[in-house]
């Protein structure tokens, strides 16, 4: 795979559950992604950045080897890849999408009393390395049956007693008469970067892309909250605001007893929160979305 020199390379999943969300993230970060000459490569037209579109399983190795400078991949894939682990693809941050869990599941009638219940059994999975570590941590001896996919049919085919597979809604498990008994790993999409050094100009570009991604992730779910409040209730009101730092407090014209309070709330602001604020004495409460944050 060859890309133009002097361009930053970001590897993302070509087609799958993470692809669209990765492209959304780029757009929200102000990168104008356009199709390139071939399917493998998209280009960013307003910055010297190439987007490598590959199988998600290849992303950790590409990033570890410096074929790509940055990459976006599920934490589950990263944890499973021993080569990338050894070469040190570095985790930058979780991106807040692609959430799923790697779980131990078995037929509904299975009697579960902790990981020890797996002793001596056969467990089918596409994540043998992560499963092996889980079994070791729990001091369990079990046989790992490595599969390429369709793990959920293994118990019915008597290939395995249990499975270790990704679950997001649980619908696939249910459709196959299986029940989840334990969580092996919580996963979401991660931004990773290469341990290889970049030329200074690209290094700077990489830092700026990372800072923008951080801003996009931080502004998701964050709200700007404004209200009027009695001075006496300021402490109580600050304590109610979810995930806010020190609020901005400004005087209100012609009022000695009340102030305006503005705060950025990092967590969701629910109706219950507004009701509590009101009960504490706040009035004229406004909750606004935040588009960008840095
Ligand atoms: P590829 O062709 O790139 O190898 P894939 O079939 O391995 O694709 P997808 O099924 O598209 O991968 O899933 C990509 C990632 O999405 C997973 O590795 C995981 O991090 C995340 N994900 C989120 N929810 C789920 C889910 N319910 N099942 C599987 N993966 C999920
Ligand atoms: Zn894959």
């Amino acid at each position: 795979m060859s890309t133009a020199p002097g361009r930053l390379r970001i590897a993302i999943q070509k087609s799958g559950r993470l692809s669209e969300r990765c492209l959304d993230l780029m757009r929200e970060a102000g990168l104008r992604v356009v199709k390139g000459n071939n399917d493998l490569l998209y280009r960013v037209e307003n910055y010297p950045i190439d987007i490598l579109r590959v199988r998600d399983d290849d992303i950790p190795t590409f990033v570890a080897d410096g074929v790509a400078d940055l990459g976006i991949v599920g934490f589950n894939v990263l944890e499973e890849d021993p080569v990338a682990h050894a070469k040190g693809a570095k985790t930058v941050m979780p991106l807040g999408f692609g959430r799923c869990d790697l779980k131990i599941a078995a037929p509904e009638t299975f009697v579960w009393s902790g990981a020890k219940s797996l002793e001596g059994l056969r467990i089918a999975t596409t994540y043998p390395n992560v499963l092996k570590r889980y079994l070791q941590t729990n001091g369990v001896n079990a046989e790992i049956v490595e599969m390429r996919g369709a793990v959920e049919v293994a118990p019915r085919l008597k290939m395995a007693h249990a499975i270790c597979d990704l679950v997001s809604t649980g619908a696939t498990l249910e459709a196959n008469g299986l029940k989840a008994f334990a969580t092996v790993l919580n996963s979401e999409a991660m931004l990773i970067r290469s341990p290889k050094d970049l030329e200074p100009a690209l290094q700077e570009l990489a830092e700026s892309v990372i800072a923008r991604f951080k801003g996009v992730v931080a502004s998701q779910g964050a709200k700007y909250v404004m209200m009027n409040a009695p001075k006496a209730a300021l402490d109580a009101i600050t304590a109610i605001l979810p995930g806010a730092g020190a609020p901005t407090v400004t005087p209100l014209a012609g009022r000695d007893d009340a102030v305006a309070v503005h705060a950025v709330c990092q967590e969701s602001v629910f109706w219950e929160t507004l009701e509590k604020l009101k009960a504490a004495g706040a009035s004229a409460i406004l909750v606004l979305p935040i588009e960008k944050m840095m």
Side-chain angles (χ1 to χ4, degrees):
M1 179 178 315
S2 72
T3 53
R7 295 177 71 86
L8 189 74
R9 289 152 306 181
I10 307 178
I12 65 170
Q13 191 187 21
K14 183 173 180 186
S15 76
R17 291 170 201 263
L18 301 181
S19 314
E20 273 312 309
R21 297 300 302 268
C22 289
L23 291 172
D24 288 345
L25 174 65
M26 312 264 167
R27 281 184 213 112
E28 285 163 37
L31 311 184
R32 284 206 299 273
V33 179
V34 293
K35 293 196 173 157
N37 303 335
N38 59 55
D39 225 25
L40 215 65
L41 206 72
Y42 281 4
R43 292 167 65 84
V44 174
E45 57 177 10
N46 54 339
Y47 293 99
I49 300 175
D50 286 335
I51 310 291
L52 307 186
R53 303 170 67 241
V54 294
R55 290 278 313 267
D56 67 346
D57 315 73
D58 293 330
I59 293 174
T61 312
F62 279 5
V63 172
D65 287 344
V67 174
D69 307 306
L70 297 175
I72 298 175
V73 67
F75 185 58
N76 53 306
V77 175
L78 201 58
E79 285 291 286
E80 181 59 26
D81 193 327
V83 181
H85 248 297
K87 292 185 186 164
K90 291 190 278 188
T91 305
V92 181
M93 61 174 168
L95 295 170
F97 60 85
R99 286 212 173 90
C100 56
D101 299 315
L102 195 57
K103 292 194 181 206
I104 302 284
E108 277 150 8
T109 51
F110 191 84
V111 181
W112 177 264
S113 51
K116 282 280 176 206
S117 313
L118 297 169
E119 185 69 34
L121 301 186
R122 287 159 65 86
I123 311 167
T125 190
T126 50
Y127 293 89
N129 293 317
V130 178
L131 176 58
K132 196 167 146 204
R133 289 201 294 272
Y134 171 81
L135 294 173
Q136 272 167 359
T137 308
N138 287 284
V140 175
N141 286 304
E143 187 187 339
I144 298 174
V145 181
E146 195 174 336
M147 292 179 67
R148 280 308 194 83
V151 170
E152 65 280 358
V153 301
R156 222 183 322 139
L157 299 179
K158 306 281 181 242
M159 290 170 62
H161 302 93
I163 66 168
C164 173
D165 202 13
L166 286 182
V167 179
S168 53
T169 63
T172 308
L173 290 185
E174 208 177 308
N176 286 280
L178 302 174
K179 186 177 162 198
F181 289 101
T183 300
V184 173
L185 188 80
N186 303 110
S187 183
E188 66 184 282
M190 308 291 287
L191 179 66
I192 58 174
R193 70 184 300 173
S194 175
K196 301 258 158 70
D197 287 334
L198 283 168
E199 56 178 273
L202 289 187
Q203 179 67 27
E204 206 173 297
L205 181 59
E207 298 305 334
S208 129
V209 166
I210 291 170
R212 287 188 186 195
F213 286 174
K214 276 193 181 142
V216 172
V217 174
S219 68
Q220 275 160 4
K223 295 281 183 270
Y224 194 78
V225 183
M226 310 195 280
M227 75 203 78
N228 293 343
K231 271 186 185 163
L234 207 51
D235 285 348
I237 281 171
T238 307
I240 295 166
L241 291 168
T248 305
V249 177
T250 44
L252 284 171
R255 297 275 303 269
D256 285 340
D257 58 329
V259 286
V261 179
H262 292 197
V264 173
C265 290
Q266 302 287 359
E267 297 155 32
S268 304
V269 181
F270 298 106
W271 283 109
E272 287 77 9
T273 312
L274 301 196
E275 284 157 7
K276 280 189 205 157
L277 290 169
K278 251 198 136 117
S283 59
I285 309 170
L286 292 181
V287 180
L288 309 173
I290 296 174
E291 192 182 284
K292 293 189 175 65
M293 202 146 100
M294 219 170 184

